[in-house]
Amino acid sequence: MATTNATEEEWPLVRLMTEVVGSGHKSADDMTRPQASQAFRRILDGEPDQTTLGAFWLANRWKRNTPEELGAFVDEMAADTHTAAPDCDPVDCGANYDGKGRTAILGVAAGLVAAAAGTPVVVHSGDRVPTQKQDAYKHVLDELGVETDLAPEDSAAMTDEVGFGFYYQPNFAPAIDALSDRRAAMGVRTFVNTIETLANPAEASTHLGSFYHLPYAVRIIETFQEARSSDVERVLMFQGMEGYDDIRPGSTTVAEWSGGDVDDFTIETPDYGMDFESETLGVEEVAGESAAITEAVLAGEREDAFADAVALNAALRIYAGEDADSIEDGLDQAREAIDSGAAADRLDALREF
């Protein structure tokens, strides 16, 4: 059982395994905040050997982490995070860092459309993050000819100048990036895959992220509440394609929190005249084709499912930033930003930065 005076004790991972989390997914205990904080600090400092670390990660995967544990992990991550806040207050998009492999990444195009409509957006990712090591935000931006190896201060300047900013994990969270080889050796996702999406290098007050089912979304919202380092005041979580921050066609559940109770609603794409399936948004080469789709949609050269999907994802970002009263209102603003050429101008500005 977890001790009541954990603050005063040393909790190396081996002890946590034998006395707290390691007895199996039905009988394991949850860690106290001090225990969880100690555990992740030891991991970030490179202390545990490979076998102990792997066992600890796997035990936590079996038992499932509580919001208090995740909040403690987020706080330890934040202690090593180099933040740089832009003058504006953007919507922070926390997509899964290990990427997508079957469908287009729409968030660059959607973010630029939202920026053109007046809602600043920031995104962040690493480079081929375990376990999937697939395409993420960085790779689409690289294909578009955008500089991605930026110091956080430059990312903040990009956000203010363009309305869209990219923060690169090795530069703002090097301690997390340094875990890449150990995470790859695991072969399965760990709680690091969850908390890295909650990094907030731009110190934004609004977080937009994705989930697989509603109870998980509530757990993430409660994690923000438990994280003492967090200044996030508004969270929208939704069921993204491939776990990414792209709305899936059909029915998408959205969880919304702005300091009170958690509300939820659904986005029904047919209600907006969008009659297509996820397979319609499939691509063979994710980064390259996503970049080409971004260029064509922003230039007004496509009026297909990809154009609709970009506009709808931009609408959700505009709504998240409280610059629209509804998704429908956000969709009108998004389409106007594309039709006017303002979104294409934002892409030009991003390339020139």
Side-chain angles (χ1 to χ4, degrees):
M1 295 290 292
T3 185
T4 57
N5 62 337
T7 305
E8 302 173 3
E9 297 195 46
E10 289 296 312
W11 287 93
L13 264 60
V14 170
R15 185 182 177 193
L16 285 169
M17 285 294 298
T18 57
E19 298 185 30
V20 185
V21 302
S23 61
H25 69 281
K26 292 184 178 180
S27 58
D29 287 318
D30 297 323
M31 290 177 284
T32 64
R33 177 181 287 272
Q35 288 169 342
S37 295
Q38 274 197 46
F40 200 43
R41 174 47 49 196
R42 293 176 188 277
I43 292 170
L44 292 173
D45 289 346
E47 178 182 317
D49 64 77
Q50 289 275 32
T51 302
T52 301
L53 178 57
F56 181 77
W57 271 338
L58 197 56
N60 279 272
R61 181 180 172 91
W62 283 337
K63 84 168 192 67
R64 298 183 182 179
N65 290 114
T66 66
E68 183 178 44
E69 291 170 333
L70 293 171
F73 299 155
V74 168
D75 287 342
E76 291 300 324
M77 174 178 66
D80 288 352
T81 297
H82 183 180
T83 64
D87 292 333
C88 64
D89 184 13
V91 174
D92 174 87
C93 295
N96 287 332
Y97 277 32
D98 60 355
K100 295 177 75 175
R102 301 185 305 276
T103 55
I105 293 174
L106 307 172
V108 174
L112 287 165
V113 172
T119 300
V121 170
V122 296
V123 301
H124 39 96
S125 80
D127 187 2
R128 309 296 177 198
V129 169
T131 55
Q132 295 183 145
K133 298 185 179 182
Q134 295 184 139
D135 291 332
Y137 273 121
K138 170 180 168 52
H139 308 107
V140 178
L141 292 165
D142 287 342
E143 291 285 341
L144 287 167
V146 176
E147 177 61 45
T148 56
D149 190 5
L150 298 170
E153 291 80 7
D154 293 328
S155 299
M158 173 189 280
T159 308
D160 282 324
E161 183 174 318
V162 180
F164 177 95
F166 173 75
Y167 287 73
Y168 187 35
Q169 186 189 55
N171 295 342
F172 74 79
I176 298 293
D177 181 64
L179 296 173
S180 181
D181 288 345
R182 288 188 163 201
R183 293 168 64 186
M186 278 294 296
V188 295
R189 288 183 176 185
T190 71
F191 60 73
V192 181
N193 290 80
T194 297
I195 66 167
E196 69 187 350
T197 68
L198 310 184
N200 190 9
E203 301 179 18
S205 64
T206 299
H207 175 85
L208 181 72
S210 64
F211 66 89
Y212 290 100
H213 50 81
L214 191 57
Y216 179 80
V218 174
R219 189 186 312 169
I220 295 302
I221 291 169
E222 291 174 347
T223 295
F224 277 113
Q225 295 168 345
E226 290 285 349
R228 296 166 181 169
S229 60
S230 175
D231 293 323
V232 171
E233 300 171 354
R234 177 168 164 78
V235 180
L236 268 75
M237 301 287 294
F238 66 96
Q239 292 171 301
M241 288 191 298
E242 298 186 62
Y244 219 72
D245 60 349
D246 297 319
I247 298 171
R248 63 178 67 184
S251 181
T252 294
T253 299
V254 182
E256 181 176 5
W257 174 78
S258 296
D261 295 332
V262 177
D263 297 320
D264 63 89
F265 62 94
T266 59
I267 296 175
E268 306 286 347
T269 52
D271 290 348
Y272 304 102
M274 301 178 186
D275 185 18
F276 53 85
E277 304 294 331
S278 295
E279 291 75 12
T280 310
L281 304 178
V283 292
E284 293 184 4
E285 201 280 294
V286 173
E289 291 186 57
S290 297
I293 289 164
T294 297
E295 291 182 294
V297 169
L298 299 192
E301 297 171 357
R302 298 187 75 138
E303 297 181 354
D304 57 2
F306 287 107
D308 284 341
V310 167
L312 187 59
N313 277 279
L316 183 58
R317 285 150 174 77
I318 296 167
Y319 175 78
E322 299 186 285
D323 294 318
D325 294 329
S326 65
I327 301 298
E328 185 174 11
D329 180 22
L331 191 56
D332 289 341
Q333 294 184 46
R335 285 177 166 152
E336 171 59 25
I338 295 172
D339 293 344
S340 69
D345 290 343
R346 292 302 84 205
L347 177 57
D348 290 341
L350 186 65
R351 283 170 157 160
E352 292 169 2
F353 179 82

